[in-house]
Amino acid sequence: MKAVGELMKVFITRRIPHEGMKILTAAGVCEVSQWDSDEPVPRTELLKGVQGAQGLLCLLSDKIDAEVLDAAGPNLKVISTMSVGFDHMALDEIKKRGIRVGYTPDVLTDATAELTVALLLATARRLPEGVEEVKNGGWSSWKPLWLCGYGLSGSTVGIIGLGRIGMAIAQRLMPFGVKRLLYSGRTAKAHAAEVNGEFVPLDSLVSESDFIVVTCSLTPETQGLCNEAFFSKMKKTAVFINSSRGAVVNQEDLYKALSTGQIAAAGLDVTTPEPLPTNHPLLTLKNCVVLPHIGSAEYSTRGVMSTLAARNLLGGLQGSDMPSELSF
């Protein structure tokens, strides 16, 4: 039995923004140990750190499987992940053991939507190439077709997965003069009416869109969804953007589509693996813009994520409501 007033042990797998740490310290109910680094916790340290813990605060890069749960032992009550994704956790095992899970949806919607629009514009208008040409002396006289890209005005945009983030992207793209907004997914969404969204079969979306934005979640159905067959149906002038999960895309097939001119360009904020090795073929292509998974990398957003993760953790430790509990 836990003695009255005895602090509950919590392990945090990384340095997190101070807002979250402040909440945990002020609560006075937990004894916090932490992998005090900006780099991911090594597996051995994770297994050591969770021993006897009642609460675990983790990140997307931490694989929380049966081995970690066994190392933690039977006292583990709650896992709070500072992410909107949860495919790094063995949910079946976690459920079996009656452990509650908190995550951080909604709070990163705006930041991720803004970054996705920035990535789309940078890819379509070839901004990284332009910057490089200025630096390497490639900028000479004005040339009619030099560094020409594709614009949003009058275009058809297809969004795969019109959830919170997909909808926020659509709302930001419409003022650019997008002519049609298509979306596909499991079901038609009532909120799509706000952006005049047309619910269409995936094949129609792929073949008719000038810009395709992938914002669906990673499931067995969406794993490798964007493959050779998918890219072969796209327009040769189409731009492909992925800010969901790397595994939704078959990267070998994407490389082939980009290098053969099957599609015009691609912008990725997510890859498999992460980080992408510096000698990866995609990084040799001028028409592929790869970002280091920075969708939510905005100071205020990361602070709010850390606050929510801390509140979820405390709720689970104390057996009370968690602001964002995963129901599974």
Side-chain angles (χ1 to χ4, degrees):
M1 283 289 288
K2 189 170 82 70
V4 177
E6 192 183 315
L7 297 176
M8 288 182 272
K9 187 182 171 189
V10 163
F11 182 63
I12 302 178
T13 64
R14 192 87 63 93
R15 277 184 205 141
I16 62 170
H18 68 90
E19 292 93 332
M21 290 303 287
K22 207 163 138 188
I23 286 169
L24 293 177
T25 311
V29 296
C30 47
E31 175 197 327
V32 176
S33 60
Q34 179 185 35
W35 176 248
D36 191 17
S37 169
D38 290 326
E39 297 302 319
V41 61
R43 185 74 177 175
T44 50
E45 294 296 329
L46 172 59
L47 294 171
K48 202 190 298 177
V50 296
Q51 282 173 21
Q54 281 139 306
L56 170 63
L57 196 156
C58 65
L59 277 72
L60 202 56
S61 50
D62 305 315
K63 191 172 167 55
I64 309 301
D65 54 13
E67 188 184 21
V68 172
L69 301 175
D70 288 341
N75 289 334
L76 188 63
K77 295 178 171 191
V78 58
I79 299 168
S80 174
T81 181
M82 195 177 121
S83 64
V84 67
F86 40 81
D87 41 285
H88 56 303
M89 299 188 282
L91 294 180
D92 290 349
E93 277 294 328
I94 291 167
K95 186 177 186 177
K96 210 187 291 177
R97 300 171 196 229
I99 298 165
R100 296 170 74 188
V101 175
Y103 68 133
T104 59
D106 301 328
V107 297
L108 47 71
T109 300
D110 288 339
T112 305
E114 284 175 16
L115 189 279
T116 305
V117 172
L119 176 58
L120 187 154
L121 291 169
T123 305
R125 295 298 303 273
R126 302 170 66 178
L127 301 193
E129 271 185 86
V131 169
E132 196 48 46
E133 292 292 275
V134 172
K135 288 179 177 176
N136 68 22
W139 182 13
S140 56
S141 65
W142 184 86
K143 304 189 229 4
L145 293 174
W146 188 57
L147 283 176
C148 282
Y150 299 93
L152 280 161
S153 182
S155 71
T156 296
V157 172
I159 296 181
I160 299 175
L162 197 71
R164 285 182 298 262
I165 292 172
M167 188 63 187
I169 292 166
Q171 287 165 335
R172 284 160 174 77
L173 289 178
M174 296 317 280
F176 283 92
V178 170
K179 192 176 177 184
R180 291 177 75 204
L181 186 111
L182 312 179
Y183 73 99
S184 67
R186 281 193 288 264
T187 55
K189 307 273 202 233
H191 59 237
E194 293 172 39
V195 288
N196 297 321
E198 302 171 43
F199 184 56
V200 296
L202 183 63
D203 276 2
S204 305
L205 181 148
V206 175
S207 60
E208 294 172 34
S209 298
D210 300 302
F211 298 90
I212 294 177
V213 183
V214 184
T215 58
C216 57
S217 48
L218 179 62
T219 65
E221 295 76 46
T222 61
Q223 179 129 11
L225 174 76
C226 306
N227 57 13
E228 187 173 7
F230 178 102
F231 297 122
S232 70
K233 292 172 192 146
M234 283 175 65
K235 296 179 181 180
K236 283 187 160 38
T237 52
V239 174
F240 175 81
I241 303 294
N242 183 21
S243 58
S244 61
R245 285 282 172 268
V248 173
V249 175
N250 179 315
Q251 289 175 173
E252 288 70 29
D253 292 352
L254 175 61
Y255 173 80
K256 192 175 163 193
L258 288 166
S259 57
T260 60
Q262 175 66 56
I263 67 173
L268 311 172
D269 186 39
V270 286
T271 59
T272 310
E274 291 183 0
L276 197 64
T278 54
N279 62 352
H280 195 281
L282 282 174
L283 300 180
T284 64
L285 300 173
K286 283 186 174 179
N287 59 344
C288 187
V289 178
V290 181
L291 298 180
H293 200 153
I294 52 171
S296 67
E298 187 198 68
Y299 289 113
S300 62
T301 298
R302 292 282 168 87
V304 174
M305 284 174 78
S306 128
T307 297
L308 183 52
R311 292 204 169 118
N312 283 334
L313 189 75
L314 288 174
L317 286 173
Q318 297 172 309
S320 56
D321 284 348
M322 292 162 65
S324 281
E325 184 168 6
L326 189 62
S327 52
F328 58 101

PDB file of all heavy atoms in Angstrom, residues 15 21 39 52 55 77 98 113 148 186 206 240 259 283 309 320:
ATOM      1  N   ARG A  15      13.646  16.160 -22.279  1.00  0.00           N
ATOM      2  CA  ARG A  15      13.386  17.540 -21.835  1.00  0.00           C
ATOM      3  C   ARG A  15      12.125  18.000 -22.541  1.00  0.00           C
ATOM      4  O   ARG A  15      12.001  17.846 -23.758  1.00  0.00           O
ATOM      5  CB  ARG A  15      14.526  18.460 -22.269  1.00  0.00           C
ATOM      6  CG  ARG A  15      15.703  18.446 -21.346  1.00  0.00           C
ATOM      7  CD  ARG A  15      16.744  19.463 -21.786  1.00  0.00           C
ATOM      8  NE  ARG A  15      18.053  19.069 -21.295  1.00  0.00           N
ATOM      9  CZ  ARG A  15      19.178  19.186 -21.954  1.00  0.00           C
ATOM     10  NH1 ARG A  15      19.187  19.713 -23.166  1.00  0.00           N
ATOM     11  NH2 ARG A  15      20.305  18.792 -21.422  1.00  0.00           N
ATOM     12  N   MET A  21       6.598  21.107 -17.104  1.00  0.00           N
ATOM     13  CA  MET A  21       7.379  20.768 -15.901  1.00  0.00           C
ATOM     14  C   MET A  21       6.885  21.556 -14.698  1.00  0.00           C
ATOM     15  O   MET A  21       6.816  21.057 -13.582  1.00  0.00           O
ATOM     16  CB  MET A  21       8.874  21.050 -16.140  1.00  0.00           C
ATOM     17  CG  MET A  21       9.533  20.112 -17.111  1.00  0.00           C
ATOM     18  SD  MET A  21       9.403  18.363 -16.653  1.00  0.00           S
ATOM     19  CE  MET A  21      10.548  18.276 -15.282  1.00  0.00           C
ATOM     20  N   GLU A  39      17.867  14.888 -26.965  1.00  0.00           N
ATOM     21  CA  GLU A  39      17.918  13.691 -27.818  1.00  0.00           C
ATOM     22  C   GLU A  39      17.068  12.575 -27.210  1.00  0.00           C
ATOM     23  O   GLU A  39      16.869  12.530 -26.003  1.00  0.00           O
ATOM     24  CB  GLU A  39      19.371  13.209 -27.965  1.00  0.00           C
ATOM     25  CG  GLU A  39      20.285  14.205 -28.664  1.00  0.00           C
ATOM     26  CD  GLU A  39      19.800  14.584 -30.060  1.00  0.00           C
ATOM     27  OE1 GLU A  39      19.336  13.694 -30.794  1.00  0.00           O
ATOM     28  OE2 GLU A  39      19.880  15.781 -30.406  1.00  0.00           O
ATOM     29  N   GLY A  52       9.095   0.727 -11.736  1.00  0.00           N
ATOM     30  CA  GLY A  52       8.299   1.151 -10.569  1.00  0.00           C
ATOM     31  C   GLY A  52       7.511   2.427 -10.767  1.00  0.00           C
ATOM     32  O   GLY A  52       6.906   2.954  -9.831  1.00  0.00           O
ATOM     33  N   GLY A  55       3.515   6.771 -13.472  1.00  0.00           N
ATOM     34  CA  GLY A  55       3.187   7.604 -14.622  1.00  0.00           C
ATOM     35  C   GLY A  55       4.361   7.694 -15.574  1.00  0.00           C
ATOM     36  O   GLY A  55       5.521   7.723 -15.145  1.00  0.00           O
ATOM     37  N   LYS A  77      -0.068   3.450 -14.009  1.00  0.00           N
ATOM     38  CA  LYS A  77      -1.476   3.822 -14.140  1.00  0.00           C
ATOM     39  C   LYS A  77      -1.772   4.583 -15.414  1.00  0.00           C
ATOM     40  O   LYS A  77      -2.868   4.556 -15.943  1.00  0.00           O
ATOM     41  CB  LYS A  77      -1.869   4.778 -12.987  1.00  0.00           C
ATOM     42  CG  LYS A  77      -1.817   4.211 -11.613  1.00  0.00           C
ATOM     43  CD  LYS A  77      -2.192   5.345 -10.648  1.00  0.00           C
ATOM     44  CE  LYS A  77      -2.376   4.835  -9.239  1.00  0.00           C
ATOM     45  NZ  LYS A  77      -2.975   5.873  -8.385  1.00  0.00           N
ATOM     46  N   GLY A  98      -5.075  -2.209 -18.338  1.00  0.00           N
ATOM     47  CA  GLY A  98      -5.912  -1.191 -17.691  1.00  0.00           C
ATOM     48  C   GLY A  98      -5.210   0.137 -17.470  1.00  0.00           C
ATOM     49  O   GLY A  98      -5.542   0.891 -16.544  1.00  0.00           O
ATOM     50  N   ALA A 113      -1.293  23.032 -39.721  1.00  0.00           N
ATOM     51  CA  ALA A 113      -1.960  23.509 -40.946  1.00  0.00           C
ATOM     52  C   ALA A 113      -1.142  24.621 -41.602  1.00  0.00           C
ATOM     53  O   ALA A 113      -0.947  24.638 -42.821  1.00  0.00           O
ATOM     54  CB  ALA A 113      -3.369  24.000 -40.621  1.00  0.00           C
ATOM     55  N   CYS A 148       9.910  28.433 -62.966  1.00  0.00           N
ATOM     56  CA  CYS A 148       8.451  28.531 -62.958  1.00  0.00           C
ATOM     57  C   CYS A 148       7.868  27.362 -62.165  1.00  0.00           C
ATOM     58  O   CYS A 148       8.347  26.233 -62.252  1.00  0.00           O
ATOM     59  CB  CYS A 148       7.894  28.498 -64.380  1.00  0.00           C
ATOM     60  SG  CYS A 148       8.084  30.068 -65.233  1.00  0.00           S
ATOM     61  N   ARG A 186     -13.143   7.909 -45.053  1.00  0.00           N
ATOM     62  CA  ARG A 186     -14.125   6.850 -44.792  1.00  0.00           C
ATOM     63  C   ARG A 186     -15.553   7.325 -45.017  1.00  0.00           C
ATOM     64  O   ARG A 186     -16.384   6.605 -45.539  1.00  0.00           O
ATOM     65  CB  ARG A 186     -13.952   6.328 -43.359  1.00  0.00           C
ATOM     66  CG  ARG A 186     -12.787   5.348 -43.221  1.00  0.00           C
ATOM     67  CD  ARG A 186     -12.833   4.622 -41.907  1.00  0.00           C
ATOM     68  NE  ARG A 186     -12.488   5.522 -40.808  1.00  0.00           N
ATOM     69  CZ  ARG A 186     -11.273   5.618 -40.296  1.00  0.00           C
ATOM     70  NH1 ARG A 186     -10.287   4.892 -40.788  1.00  0.00           N
ATOM     71  NH2 ARG A 186     -11.022   6.453 -39.303  1.00  0.00           N
ATOM     72  N   VAL A 206      -7.345  11.708 -56.860  1.00  0.00           N
ATOM     73  CA  VAL A 206      -5.963  11.590 -57.330  1.00  0.00           C
ATOM     74  C   VAL A 206      -5.831  12.070 -58.778  1.00  0.00           C
ATOM     75  O   VAL A 206      -4.892  12.794 -59.117  1.00  0.00           O
ATOM     76  CB  VAL A 206      -5.462  10.131 -57.189  1.00  0.00           C
ATOM     77  CG1 VAL A 206      -4.075   9.964 -57.793  1.00  0.00           C
ATOM     78  CG2 VAL A 206      -5.423   9.732 -55.714  1.00  0.00           C
ATOM     79  N   PHE A 240       2.468  16.958 -54.776  1.00  0.00           N
ATOM     80  CA  PHE A 240       2.067  16.039 -53.699  1.00  0.00           C
ATOM     81  C   PHE A 240       2.666  16.508 -52.374  1.00  0.00           C
ATOM     82  O   PHE A 240       3.868  16.764 -52.298  1.00  0.00           O
ATOM     83  CB  PHE A 240       2.576  14.628 -54.041  1.00  0.00           C
ATOM     84  CG  PHE A 240       2.341  13.606 -52.972  1.00  0.00           C
ATOM     85  CD1 PHE A 240       1.110  12.982 -52.837  1.00  0.00           C
ATOM     86  CD2 PHE A 240       3.353  13.257 -52.083  1.00  0.00           C
ATOM     87  CE1 PHE A 240       0.889  12.027 -51.845  1.00  0.00           C
ATOM     88  CE2 PHE A 240       3.156  12.319 -51.085  1.00  0.00           C
ATOM     89  CZ  PHE A 240       1.914  11.695 -50.973  1.00  0.00           C
ATOM     90  N   SER A 259      11.409  11.369 -60.201  1.00  0.00           N
ATOM     91  CA  SER A 259      12.606  11.378 -61.062  1.00  0.00           C
ATOM     92  C   SER A 259      12.269  11.135 -62.531  1.00  0.00           C
ATOM     93  O   SER A 259      13.037  11.521 -63.417  1.00  0.00           O
ATOM     94  CB  SER A 259      13.633  10.354 -60.569  1.00  0.00           C
ATOM     95  OG  SER A 259      13.051   9.067 -60.529  1.00  0.00           O
ATOM     96  N   LEU A 283      16.623  12.924 -51.404  1.00  0.00           N
ATOM     97  CA  LEU A 283      17.346  14.171 -51.118  1.00  0.00           C
ATOM     98  C   LEU A 283      18.237  14.613 -52.287  1.00  0.00           C
ATOM     99  O   LEU A 283      18.810  15.691 -52.252  1.00  0.00           O
ATOM    100  CB  LEU A 283      18.179  14.021 -49.836  1.00  0.00           C
ATOM    101  CG  LEU A 283      17.363  13.700 -48.571  1.00  0.00           C
ATOM    102  CD1 LEU A 283      18.267  13.574 -47.357  1.00  0.00           C
ATOM    103  CD2 LEU A 283      16.289  14.755 -48.329  1.00  0.00           C
ATOM    104  N   ALA A 309       0.013  17.580 -21.850  1.00  0.00           N
ATOM    105  CA  ALA A 309       0.606  16.281 -21.500  1.00  0.00           C
ATOM    106  C   ALA A 309       0.749  16.156 -19.985  1.00  0.00           C
ATOM    107  O   ALA A 309       0.482  15.102 -19.404  1.00  0.00           O
ATOM    108  CB  ALA A 309       1.961  16.120 -22.181  1.00  0.00           C
ATOM    109  N   SER A 320      -8.548  10.969 -11.749  1.00  0.00           N
ATOM    110  CA  SER A 320      -9.591  11.949 -12.085  1.00  0.00           C
ATOM    111  C   SER A 320      -9.649  12.128 -13.605  1.00  0.00           C
ATOM    112  O   SER A 320      -9.004  11.403 -14.344  1.00  0.00           O
ATOM    113  CB  SER A 320      -9.293  13.282 -11.385  1.00  0.00           C
ATOM    114  OG  SER A 320      -7.998  13.741 -11.738  1.00  0.00           O
TER     115      SER A 320
END
